[in-house]
Amino acid sequence: MHRVPAKTPFNINKMIKSFWEKSIGAPTVFSLEARIFNAICLTSVVSLIFTVCLNFLLGIQQLVILMVSVLACAVLCYYFARFKGKLISSIIVYMVVINILLAVNFKYNSGINGPTLLIFVLCYFLTISIVPKKQYWFWISLNLLIVLALLSTEYRFPQFIPDTYSDIKSRYIDLGYTYILTVLFVFLVTTYVRQSYFTQHQLVEQKADELEFANETKNKLFSILAHDLRSPLASIQNYLEILSELQLDEDERLSINKKLLNSTQNTQQILSNLLLWSKSQMEGANVNMVNLNLGDVLQSTLQIQHTLAAEKGIQMVDRLKSSVSIIADADMLQLIIRNLISNAIKFTDPGGEIIISSDIIGDDCRITIKDNGTGINYEQQSDIFSLKAKTTYGTKNEKGVGLGLVLCKEFTELQNGKIAFESSPGVGTTFYVSFKLAQNINKIDTREKGEFVNES
């Protein structure tokens, strides 16, 4: 039966928010003043349309003609500010036209008995909201001078300002409408300013958190370079000085050579993790997701780790399902498994056991690395995948820097995978890494691979 796809839920609030942002401009492109001005122009257009209709019904024809002219001006100012980048010029034209409108409106809308003074207060509020800081005093002074001039004119020559209302009802309607319009404009601007303030405040807090994290990262890197990386290099230098300066028998020389090899391998892994992690932080990691056969892609990694485990007297058992194919990045997958097995070897005593296995769970392949080593202290488990993790030493004093598991988590998530662990101090640790199965594969593995056996 053909299944009809489910319809996407209709989100009217999201649509309105998206339309409004496109209308006034995105915050990443337009300044707060530009967005406020664009919003005022749009609101002015809507309110002027209603005002034209109201004045027409009230029979004030002179104001109808004036309002239509101002409406056209508001549309032009919005167009040039929003789409042509002429913000300053548009603000100047808008303020000049608004002040002319108020002066004419005062004469043809009953002077002090009409709503013009209320509109002048609104104009003052809009002035301090949108005009450039350098022009504050000019426009504020102009606003005050026009008001004083109009009041003085009406006081001295009241016959020049006729009462244009046909009745008292028309006057109350006009005053009520103007009041509502004024409140709407004030609400619009103050709400948008408050919202923008809180948004900017959140961005500042986010930047502060990112800066703090970057500072912690820098300190961690300096710590690695100054101590954790210098320490094994110093050990290598000491071993080389002993070999060159002292007469040693063959057994002592072989013992020091073995220690020198172990120290070099540990330092190489530390340096490799450090460089890979630093590169991923600065440049971003390139992920090449392809279909991989699990057994083939991990064969060389497991062989190398088996040799290292055998040198420490640890038995490593391979129970990976060789016929399973997953979607992953080969290099990242090898790095993740190499780090997890290396950690297991580091924290497992000689005579211990490490088991690498895989299971099919739904559409995922889960790789498991289980050891019976020292485990992880409970108080450290919450920070194990972060740079807050403390430097720890293995059962033979192997040094770690805490970057291996950070890399494992980041690279696993970059491949749309999941990583988790279980650990009990003194009992052991189990890490789980899951990746998506490739399509059209046989999910049943009929052949189990053999075991790596400790040859030491």
Side-chain angles (χ1 to χ4, degrees):
M1 180 181 294
H2 179 68
R3 180 176 295 178
V4 179
K7 293 183 178 180
T8 304
F10 182 72
N11 192 330
I12 186 66
N13 291 331
K14 187 175 181 180
M15 289 186 61
I16 292 175
K17 184 177 180 180
S18 176
F19 173 77
W20 182 250
E21 183 173 304
K22 289 180 180 179
S23 299
I24 66 174
T28 55
V29 180
F30 292 85
S31 65
L32 178 60
E33 291 80 4
R35 284 178 277 136
I36 292 175
F37 178 73
N38 292 337
I40 289 173
C41 286
L42 287 176
T43 311
S44 299
V45 169
V46 176
S47 61
L48 283 168
I49 292 174
F50 285 102
T51 304
V52 168
C53 296
L54 178 64
N55 286 323
F56 179 79
L57 294 174
L58 294 176
I60 310 176
Q61 300 301 325
Q62 299 91 333
L63 290 183
V64 171
I65 298 172
L66 179 63
M67 294 299 176
V68 170
S69 302
V70 176
L71 174 62
C73 177
V75 171
L76 289 174
C77 288
Y78 168 75
Y79 172 77
F80 281 101
R82 173 64 178 84
F83 299 103
K84 297 297 183 179
K86 305 292 186 180
L87 176 63
I88 302 300
S89 302
S90 298
I91 289 177
I92 293 174
V93 172
Y94 183 86
M95 295 305 301
V96 169
V97 171
I98 286 296
N99 280 283
I100 293 174
L101 164 67
L102 292 177
V104 177
N105 189 76
F106 188 85
K107 173 176 176 55
Y108 291 104
N109 206 4
S110 303
I112 197 172
N113 294 315
T116 308
L117 288 182
L118 192 59
I119 302 177
F120 265 110
V121 174
L122 175 61
C123 183
Y124 174 84
F125 176 76
L126 297 181
T127 298
I128 61 176
S129 301
I130 61 175
V131 299
K133 192 173 182 179
K134 294 180 180 180
Q135 300 180 15
Y136 271 9
W137 292 112
F138 172 78
W139 293 110
I140 292 172
S141 301
L142 180 63
N143 184 282
L144 293 174
L145 287 174
I146 293 175
V147 171
L148 292 176
L150 292 173
L151 291 177
S152 299
T153 301
E154 183 175 10
Y155 177 76
R156 296 184 61 183
F157 308 102
Q159 66 276 12
F160 291 143
I161 311 294
D163 187 354
T164 55
Y165 293 112
S166 57
D167 51 42
I168 192 66
K169 180 181 178 181
S170 299
R171 180 170 180 267
Y172 277 94
I173 291 174
D174 196 18
L175 288 172
Y177 170 78
T178 305
Y179 172 79
I180 293 173
L181 184 64
T182 303
V183 170
L184 178 64
F185 267 97
V186 173
F187 172 78
L188 171 69
V189 175
T190 54
T191 300
Y192 193 77
V193 170
R194 283 172 60 86
Q195 181 182 355
S196 299
Y197 167 77
F198 287 125
T199 301
Q200 293 296 326
H201 183 67
Q202 290 176 349
L203 289 175
V204 170
E205 289 184 342
Q206 181 181 345
K207 292 295 183 183
D209 292 339
E210 292 175 356
L211 183 61
E212 183 179 356
F213 176 77
N215 192 52
E216 291 178 359
T217 302
K218 179 198 69 176
N219 292 338
K220 183 71 175 181
L221 291 175
F222 284 161
S223 173
I224 294 168
L225 294 173
H227 182 268
D228 293 343
L229 191 59
R230 183 179 62 182
S231 179
L233 289 175
S235 299
I236 294 172
Q237 181 180 349
N238 292 336
Y239 289 141
L240 291 174
E241 289 175 353
I242 291 173
L243 288 173
S244 62
E245 295 178 3
L246 299 180
Q247 297 295 326
L248 303 174
D249 58 36
E250 189 62 24
D251 290 339
E252 290 175 327
R253 184 176 293 274
L254 288 175
S255 176
I256 290 180
N257 283 341
K258 186 175 181 180
K259 292 179 179 178
L260 180 60
L261 177 60
N262 290 336
S263 183
T264 304
Q265 289 171 338
N266 188 41
T267 304
Q268 183 181 21
Q269 183 174 355
I270 292 172
L271 184 59
S272 176
N273 285 340
L274 175 61
L275 293 175
L276 281 170
W277 183 80
S278 300
K279 182 180 179 181
S280 70
Q281 295 300 304
M282 292 184 295
E283 302 176 5
N286 295 321
V287 187
N288 182 27
M289 302 290 285
V290 295
N291 290 0
L292 301 172
N293 180 276
L294 192 61
D296 293 343
V297 76
L298 293 180
Q299 182 178 4
S300 61
T301 300
L302 295 181
Q303 288 289 348
I304 294 172
Q305 296 302 316
H306 165 249
T307 302
L308 297 176
E311 290 176 355
K312 193 175 178 181
I314 297 171
Q315 180 173 313
M316 191 170 123
V317 180
D318 174 18
R319 294 178 181 169
L320 288 177
K321 298 184 186 306
S322 59
S323 62
V324 171
S325 294
I326 63 173
I327 302 174
D329 181 291
D331 294 332
M332 288 187 176
L333 176 62
Q334 291 171 352
L335 180 141
I336 292 166
I337 302 304
R338 182 170 67 247
N339 270 288
L340 293 178
I341 297 178
S342 177
N343 269 2
I345 295 172
K346 186 181 300 179
F347 296 105
T348 300
D349 290 306
E353 183 182 61
I354 299 171
I355 301 174
I356 300 96
S357 60
S358 60
D359 298 290
I360 305 302
I361 302 177
D363 294 329
D364 294 337
C365 173
R366 186 179 70 178
I367 304 169
T368 303
I369 295 95
K370 181 179 181 180
D371 66 64
N372 57 358
T374 58
I376 305 169
N377 292 332
Y378 291 117
E379 60 270 15
Q380 295 178 350
Q381 291 187 12
S382 60
D383 296 328
I384 194 171
F385 290 120
S386 73
L387 290 174
K388 296 179 182 179
K390 296 181 180 179
T391 299
T392 51
Y393 292 86
T395 55
K396 282 199 170 183
N397 209 36
E398 303 101 323
K399 189 69 175 290
V401 297
L403 276 180
L405 290 177
V406 174
L407 272 175
C408 288
K409 185 176 190 304
E410 289 188 6
F411 283 5
T412 299
E413 292 177 349
L414 282 171
Q415 300 173 86
N416 300 318
K418 300 176 183 177
I419 186 169
F421 73 97
E422 297 174 349
S423 185
S424 298
V427 177
T429 302
T430 303
F431 276 91
Y432 305 97
V433 188
S434 299
F435 296 97
K436 288 295 180 183
L437 288 166
Q439 295 179 351
N440 301 323
I441 66 166
N442 181 14
K443 294 187 178 181
I444 300 176
D445 187 21
T446 58
R447 179 174 60 88
E448 183 175 289
K449 297 174 65 176
E451 297 184 351
F452 289 130
V453 181
N454 177 20
E455 299 176 350
S456 61

